[in-house]
Amino acid sequence: MVKEFTHLNFEEYITVKHGYMMCPEPHEKYRIMTDLHRRARNVINFAWNIEKKSEAEFSEGYFRAALCEFFAIEDYLETSYPERYKGVWFNEHRDSDPILHMLHLLRNYNIHISSSEMSTKQMLVTTEFLQPAKKHFNITVNYVSNLTIDGFSKVRAARCYTQSLERMITVFEEQQHTFGLGVLLIECVLQNLLKLDSLLDAPDFRPL
């Protein structure tokens, strides 16, 4: 019997507040965890390249790569660090963020079922640091265009979200349309890294 997940919090989740003119980097403090820092950088760069490719098939490929590398970070923590690190990056039974759960479903969908379809749209954005004459300009962003309950029906894990999947799709749609799919993925990495701060500050922390 499949147990429904009822712990998702639709009031607090990762949100996109701004875009980026240049590809961001993880904070320097995470360099002490060398391999994890490299993996986080990989996800960010894969996500950044989603928006840089004009052909949908390449954007879809970078999306798959970003999803795989994102969740590989949890696998790496489980196998390379002490037991208390297990589930810190993502644990479907403890994490309440519906955006992360959607990414997990999308990872399973893209690896085992089919490919997420990419579409593009134009957005008018505003910068805060350029000259006034250059303050407003258009950008092209990608978004996943085939997010449907029926599409996820073939994903085994989706059976845990029968009561919440529609809301999960809604909040994911809102965030990916704020500044594009790539920026949403980047925010997921940067904000998820904050979970490691308490471990970095532990007196018995030993970097690998």
Side-chain angles (χ1 to χ4, degrees), residues 93-159:
H93 298 286
R94 295 203 305 262
D95 271 290
S96 61
D97 191 322
I99 297 292
L100 296 181
H101 283 262
M102 270 297 297
L103 289 183
H104 197 234
L105 284 181
L106 284 164
R107 181 263 178 198
N108 292 344
Y109 179 85
N110 278 269
I111 297 303
H112 302 297
I113 308 299
S114 186
S115 294
S116 292
E117 297 174 6
M118 292 288 164
S119 294
T120 61
K121 69 173 187 176
Q122 292 283 312
M123 291 183 62
L124 180 65
V125 298
T126 303
T127 61
E128 295 181 351
F129 58 89
L130 296 179
Q131 295 297 319
K134 300 180 181 179
K135 208 166 186 179
H136 305 285
F137 59 95
N138 286 304
I139 62 172
T140 302
V141 299
N142 283 269
Y143 62 94
V144 180
S145 56
N146 62 332
L147 294 176
T148 64
I149 292 176
D150 184 61
F152 283 115
S153 64
K154 296 179 182 179
V155 180
R156 186 174 181 179
R159 291 182 290 177

Side-chain angles (χ1 to χ4, degrees), residues 1-5 156-162:
M1 182 177 178
V2 178
K3 186 177 180 180
E4 177 80 14
F5 287 154
R156 186 174 181 179
R159 291 182 290 177
C160 297
Y161 304 98
T162 56

Side-chain angles (χ1 to χ4, degrees), residues 20 95 118 142 171 176 186:
Y20 297 93
D95 271 290
M118 292 288 164
N142 283 269
V171 297
Q176 74 163 345
I186 289 170

Side-chain angles (χ1 to χ4, degrees), residues 4-58:
E4 177 80 14
F5 287 154
T6 59
H7 59 287
L8 274 62
N9 185 346
F10 289 93
E11 300 299 323
E12 294 185 17
Y13 49 86
I14 292 171
T15 58
V16 176
K17 296 179 174 60
H18 58 78
Y20 297 93
M21 294 292 291
M22 298 178 63
C23 185
E25 292 278 342
H27 194 282
E28 286 291 314
K29 63 185 174 183
Y30 302 113
R31 283 188 179 275
I32 196 170
M33 304 175 77
T34 307
D35 203 38
L36 183 143
H37 183 267
R38 289 172 178 169
R39 291 167 186 263
R41 288 188 71 202
N42 283 341
V43 182
I44 290 171
N45 278 278
F46 290 146
W48 185 257
N49 276 291
I50 290 173
E51 308 297 351
K52 301 304 175 184
K53 298 299 179 181
S54 57
E55 295 182 55
E57 64 182 285
F58 294 121

